[in-house]
Amino acid sequence: MEVLSFLTSGVLTALEPINLGLILIGVTIGLFIGAMPGLGSVNGVAILLPITFLVPPASAIIFLAAIYYGAMYGGAISSVALGIPGASTAVATTFDGRPLALQGRASLALVTAALASFVGGTVATVFFTLFAPLLATVALNFGPPEIFALMLLAFATFVGLGGDDIPKTVFSICFGLVLATVGFDTISGEPRLVLFDIQGFIRGIGFIVLAIGVYGIGEMLWTIEQTRGEITTTNPKMTAKGLASDAKEAVQRGWKGTWIGSILGFFVGVLPAAGATPGSLMSYGVAKMLSKTPEEYGRGSPDGVAAPEAANNSASTGSMLPMLTLGIPGSPTTAILLGGMVMWGLTPGPRLFIDESEFVWSLIGSFYISNFAAVLINLAFIPLFVWMLRMPFTILAPLIFVLSIVGGFAASRSMHDLWLIVIFGLGAFFLRKFDYPLAPAVLAIVLGPIAEPTLRQSLLLSSGDPSIFFTRPIAGPITVIAIILILLPAIKMLRGKRRVAAD
Amino acid sequence: MTMTKRFFLGLAAGTALATLPMTAFAQDWQPTRPVDFTIMAGAGGGADQIARFVQSVVEANNLTNRPLVPTNRGGGSGAEALLHMNGARDPDHTLMVTLNSFYTTPIRQEGLGIDIETFTPITMMGVDPFVLWVHKDSGITDFEGYLAKVREMNGEYVMGGTGAGQEDSIVIAYMSGVYDLDIKYIPYDGGGAVAKDLAGQQIMATVNNPAEAKGFYEAGDFVPLLAFSDERMEAYPDVPTMKEMGHDFSYYNQRAIVGAPGMSDEAAAYYREVFGKVYDGEEWQSYLVSESLSPLPMDEAETRAYWATQVANHRKLLAEIEG
């Protein structure tokens, strides 16, 4: 098999001392950058890009890809340990990772995240190895109507995410959608909802700003109010034996989420414009929908940690595919990698696999090695991260506050964003008190900026005829499934009422 | 070309000496903290690629004693970057990499209160031409074939671009005007996304920079039909220009480095030297060739005059589109 011989030589290149060294350094840097709230793989890759001029292109991209991978693993750490998403890709990990930590099971959550990330990354790499050129063609068939249908599906899976109170979930989604429309509108070329004429709103409201506000500040206030400071987050004593039993439990209780995340994450990642954040959120929604015990989600389900973590690693590998084969970045981080490739004198695009096959295959080979390195390094650091949780909450709470502020500022270097974080934090605290689910709002601000333009592009294409979502061969079935999923809770509700009436 | 470049550089040095008796001292000015290197566009686009390329050349050759810190401020079609520059607290350490929203955004959004004439010209790195592309499966091989097809489709011919008032929409609007074409225009949020949807034939034609379409062109998927440059492009010698079609129109995306309003002459002289070295370096010169950028070196006075004509041109073009 031709693929196998290419792959073997690729893996051997990745194992050369310089490349192996870069993988280990890159994964470790990525792990810590990912673990810092606010900073994600984008920042890590952008900061270290110029350094890569010192090594050959293949080594350079291996290094940057290793950072990307490491950051995907690292994002889970602060999501679990602090309750603040370490990176936008790890938001869904807080939904169940944080409750697990509060139950004293932080190590289980972290081990689950590490193992799920490993499986996700590896499954995606295998797909990548076998089907790269074919999948690139599939990605091209996704025009605006198909992408909108997919976003509709993502929202549909989330209607059930907020628990049983569907009106409150819908309110939360709408609130997020409104926030997503603030700022410059691509279609009309005009600014929208520049609130109070504050110029900071021209840029729009960043997703990470909302996420840090809601989870960093809002969640912390809520915890303080609930416990009046008498919280014992966890009593973690890490032993090798404990780690092994956690690993066993992670496999038993998280395998289903892992598979869903690995496969779904990859396909969402492959589509240009989507990337790892929507991939992980969608996987969480789908895993919950397919679960036999959906009520466990949001209260500390290992599946709920595994699905988004498997998905974000899988999607980050997937998003390399359109970048390499089409020259189209599938995520902000791959956009910077793309810039790097141009600097090194490579032209990403359909001919890259033919003209630069050695480069491509050493990168693919490095995916396998990076995954091994990342899971081992991550597992080795878990005791350190769990140890952080032994700090009394009176110390941890101010620390989370400081990290939220620093992380929020680091992402955009703007005071405007800091004020927004504080306002969102306070708002989230009160919404939480009134039992409004906030995850759907976070989802909406991620998917809104993808869903809205694709909806309008589609309707421009069809001159305003909505049948375009039903008549195209790929968009049609997706739209129909999404609509059924949206209607399902309503049907259930009606049935429930009828039963009550019958009684 | 080298002659012109030397000439302009000499000219630049000459004017600097003539107008600034303090130049000898100016060399003593050096950044005292990291330099804010604002990018007027989001991550991954043409402007971003260029900014990061320039930054890495500066880094690799150790041209500054303090690092350049690139930050994407692409929000509001560059409005975010312009406001940031306008309110820069330390203009001596604030630079920006531009594209044409440098001209169009202040015109389209007068409420921002931006006057680009207050900005400080540093170095013109080159200008990026635009080309009309179709997919090879469309069977169209020349501009006449394209015109016939658009007319035959009677308003159903779909082109993609980066949105109202953006560079490509200006070109498309001009073209539709002179040939009386009825085109359905779909806005996207970046040139890369536009090229991808042409490759997938979601749209029928685009006006993209060569760098954005290069991969697909080399794979044989894209066919260039018409260049909006002054002369035929070296990379596409068989592609005619709009000027050859008898219409006096050319359009380029400006790739320049500018300083914040109020930057001191000493600091400006320092940065001109740094980016002048980048410009002359082998890395940038080969980048110009591989990405089909045209060199357009000019000094401070020439840049200011160029800005004034560009603003006037854009005001006219935008008025025609929106009027």
Side-chain angles (χ1 to χ4, degrees):
Chain A
M1 254 178 85
E2 205 184 6
V3 169
L4 269 182
S5 75
F6 276 132
L7 184 63
T8 318
S9 80
V11 170
L12 289 177
T13 317
L15 283 173
E16 280 169 16
I18 172 174
N19 294 339
L20 190 61
L22 284 172
I23 286 176
L24 294 177
I25 298 169
V27 165
T28 314
I29 293 176
L31 199 64
F32 281 91
I33 288 180
M36 266 296 293
L39 291 183
S41 54
V42 183
N43 311 79
V45 170
I47 294 165
L48 292 165
L49 184 61
I51 296 176
T52 60
F53 244 71
L54 308 172
V55 292
S59 306
I61 194 153
I62 286 174
F63 178 58
L64 295 178
I67 296 176
Y68 192 17
Y69 258 53
M72 290 299 152
Y73 280 82
I77 291 163
S78 72
S79 294
V80 171
L82 306 176
I84 324 169
S88 60
T89 49
V91 169
T93 314
T94 53
F95 299 164
D96 281 276
R98 185 63 181 155
L100 275 175
L102 291 174
Q103 294 157 21
R105 308 296 318 269
S107 61
L108 172 65
L110 290 172
V111 170
T112 308
L115 294 179
S117 296
F118 175 71
V119 175
T122 308
V123 167
T125 310
V126 172
F127 280 148
F128 196 116
T129 313
L130 297 176
F131 308 117
L134 182 75
L135 284 168
T137 331
V138 174
L140 281 183
N141 285 327
F142 270 72
E146 285 75 21
I147 293 179
F148 177 73
L150 201 68
M151 293 299 118
L152 202 61
L153 187 64
F155 281 117
T157 61
F158 259 58
V159 169
L161 187 70
D164 299 329
D165 200 333
I166 290 165
K168 280 183 175 168
T169 305
V170 172
F171 170 84
S172 183
I173 288 183
C174 293
F175 181 64
L177 284 177
V178 170
L179 292 182
T181 59
V182 170
F184 188 79
D185 170 35
T186 319
I187 309 273
S188 67
E190 300 293 335
R192 291 188 301 194
L193 285 180
V194 181
L195 308 167
F196 312 110
D197 275 334
I198 298 173
Q199 292 180 326
F201 284 115
I202 292 179
R203 186 177 62 234
I205 295 172
F207 156 75
I208 200 75
V209 169
L210 183 72
I212 290 182
V214 168
Y215 293 102
I217 311 282
E219 193 73 7
M220 186 187 67
L221 290 176
W222 195 75
T223 314
I224 292 173
E225 200 239 8
Q226 290 292 302
T227 60
R228 316 241 170 239
E230 288 163 19
I231 186 169
T232 44
T233 20
T234 175
N235 183 24
K237 282 209 187 80
M238 287 301 298
T239 56
K241 210 174 148 195
L243 206 64
S245 83
D246 279 339
K248 203 175 152 202
E249 192 176 347
V251 173
Q252 278 169 353
R253 296 179 60 197
W255 67 270
K256 204 171 162 191
T258 306
W259 284 111
I260 293 170
S262 303
I263 294 167
L264 190 65
F266 181 74
F267 286 100
V268 175
V270 165
L271 301 174
T277 306
S280 67
L281 285 162
M282 279 179 76
S283 299
Y284 182 88
V286 170
K288 182 180 175 183
M289 213 169 58
L290 297 180
S291 169
K292 283 190 192 113
T293 51
E295 66 281 356
E296 271 182 27
Y297 278 72
R299 300 198 173 93
S301 157
D303 267 331
V305 174
E309 277 304 309
N312 67 25
N313 275 63
S314 185
S316 56
T317 307
S319 66
M320 297 267 189
L321 207 152
M323 178 196 79
L324 293 170
T325 54
L326 305 172
I328 309 297
S331 70
T333 312
T334 47
I336 295 179
L337 288 178
L338 184 73
M341 292 181 60
V342 174
M343 290 198 305
W344 305 319
L346 299 164
T347 306
R351 289 201 59 82
L352 189 76
F353 272 70
I354 302 157
D355 297 343
E356 303 283 348
S357 75
E358 203 180 316
F359 169 86
V360 172
W361 285 101
S362 35
L363 176 64
I364 296 177
S366 86
F367 290 165
Y368 289 94
I369 311 294
S370 293
N371 254 311
F372 270 108
V375 76
L376 293 178
I377 292 173
N378 193 352
L379 287 175
F381 274 117
I382 284 180
L384 172 75
F385 294 121
V386 172
W387 173 80
M388 288 197 314
L389 283 174
R390 290 165 91 171
M391 278 184 270
F393 192 69
T394 39
I395 294 177
L396 205 55
L399 197 69
I400 292 176
F401 186 76
V402 169
L403 280 176
S404 298
I405 297 292
V406 172
F409 187 73
S412 66
R413 293 191 208 133
S414 133
M415 270 312 284
H416 173 75
D417 282 359
L418 285 193
W419 290 117
L420 281 182
I421 286 177
V422 174
I423 294 168
F424 284 139
L426 290 173
F429 169 69
F430 286 108
L431 285 175
R432 175 97 201 234
K433 286 213 72 149
F434 293 113
D435 261 345
Y436 280 89
L438 291 166
V442 174
L443 174 90
I445 206 171
V446 176
L447 301 185
I450 306 171
E452 194 216 322
T454 49
L455 170 65
R456 291 166 69 190
Q457 283 162 353
S458 308
L459 292 175
L460 280 171
L461 276 171
S462 69
S463 307
D465 182 359
S467 69
I468 188 170
F469 298 113
F470 298 96
T471 50
R472 298 184 31 138
I474 301 177
I478 304 179
T479 312
V480 171
I481 295 172
I483 289 176
I484 293 174
L485 285 180
I486 291 173
L487 292 179
L488 215 55
I491 296 168
K492 265 188 196 160
M493 229 159 60
L494 281 179
R495 261 206 209 148
K497 268 190 193 148
R498 211 176 292 154
R499 210 168 293 152
V500 173
D503 289 345
Chain B
M1 197 52 79
T2 343
M3 277 296 289
T4 347
K5 198 177 71 203
R6 285 224 186 98
F7 170 73
F8 274 118
L9 280 175
L11 196 72
T15 26
L17 279 173
T19 53
L20 287 172
M22 300 290 282
T23 310
F25 294 102
Q27 301 308 320
D28 296 337
W29 189 91
Q30 292 213 317
T32 50
R33 56 188 200 85
V35 179
D36 179 340
F37 200 52
T38 287
I39 305 163
M40 225 183 154
D48 185 55
Q49 285 180 20
I50 285 171
R52 295 188 189 277
F53 185 87
V54 167
Q55 183 219 0
S56 53
V57 174
V58 169
E59 202 87 6
N61 297 311
N62 241 339
L63 295 177
T64 52
N65 63 330
R66 291 283 186 280
L68 301 178
V69 184
T71 312
N72 292 98
R73 293 191 169 91
S77 194
E80 183 192 359
L82 290 165
L83 289 170
H84 172 78
M85 297 294 285
N86 224 21
R89 255 177 257 155
D90 184 1
D92 282 1
H93 293 90
T94 312
L95 297 171
M96 177 170 75
V97 182
T98 69
L99 48 164
N100 282 8
S101 44
F102 181 65
Y103 307 120
T104 54
T105 300
I107 298 175
R108 287 173 54 84
Q109 299 180 40
E110 281 180 352
L112 297 176
I114 303 282
D115 178 7
I116 61 160
E117 292 187 14
T118 60
F119 285 60
T120 314
I122 302 292
T123 308
M124 176 66 87
M125 301 303 291
V127 289
D128 215 346
F130 285 89
V131 174
L132 173 68
W133 306 89
V134 291
H135 196 278
K136 69 163 193 302
D137 291 351
S138 68
I140 297 171
T141 52
D142 57 16
F143 187 58
E144 284 72 26
Y146 165 84
L147 289 178
K149 183 76 184 167
V150 176
R151 293 199 174 111
E152 181 198 313
M153 300 273 294
N154 201 13
E156 289 299 308
Y157 195 85
V158 180
M159 286 185 72
T162 52
Q166 302 300 316
E167 292 85 354
D168 63 86
S169 78
I170 291 175
V171 173
I172 292 173
Y174 178 85
M175 190 172 71
S176 316
V178 292
Y179 289 102
D180 193 23
L181 302 175
D182 190 2
I183 287 167
K184 198 185 264 189
Y185 181 79
I186 313 285
Y188 288 82
D189 59 4
V194 176
K196 177 232 146 200
D197 266 10
L198 178 60
Q201 299 195 67
Q202 309 289 341
I203 50 182
M204 298 167 191
T206 69
V207 170
N208 268 120
N209 288 129
E212 294 160 341
K214 197 176 152 203
F216 297 106
Y217 169 71
E218 284 171 2
D221 291 336
F222 283 13
V223 182
L225 297 180
L226 191 71
F228 300 91
S229 50
D230 288 313
E231 280 153 25
R232 287 199 181 201
M233 294 172 59
E234 270 173 46
Y236 313 103
D238 299 330
V239 177
T241 65
M242 190 62 150
K243 289 200 167 173
E244 288 172 44
M245 297 287 153
H247 299 283
D248 187 19
F249 178 84
S250 65
Y251 196 79
Y252 294 89
N253 214 341
Q254 156 181 289
R255 308 295 189 191
I257 291 161
V258 305
M263 179 181 274
S264 69
D265 291 342
E266 292 80 11
Y270 172 85
Y271 293 121
R272 280 179 202 135
E273 196 182 318
V274 168
F275 294 104
K277 280 185 193 153
V278 173
Y279 184 90
D280 289 333
E282 191 196 326
E283 294 102 333
W284 181 255
Q285 288 302 321
S286 56
Y287 186 89
L288 286 178
V289 175
S290 74
E291 304 301 308
S292 296
L293 264 68
S294 306
L296 187 70
M298 49 177 92
D299 68 15
E300 187 191 344
E302 286 169 321
T303 308
R304 288 197 183 281
Y306 180 77
W307 286 359
T309 42
Q310 286 291 320
V311 169
N313 283 346
H314 278 97
R315 207 177 281 281
K316 205 170 126 233
L317 286 167
L318 288 172
E320 278 167 15
I321 295 175
E322 280 158 18

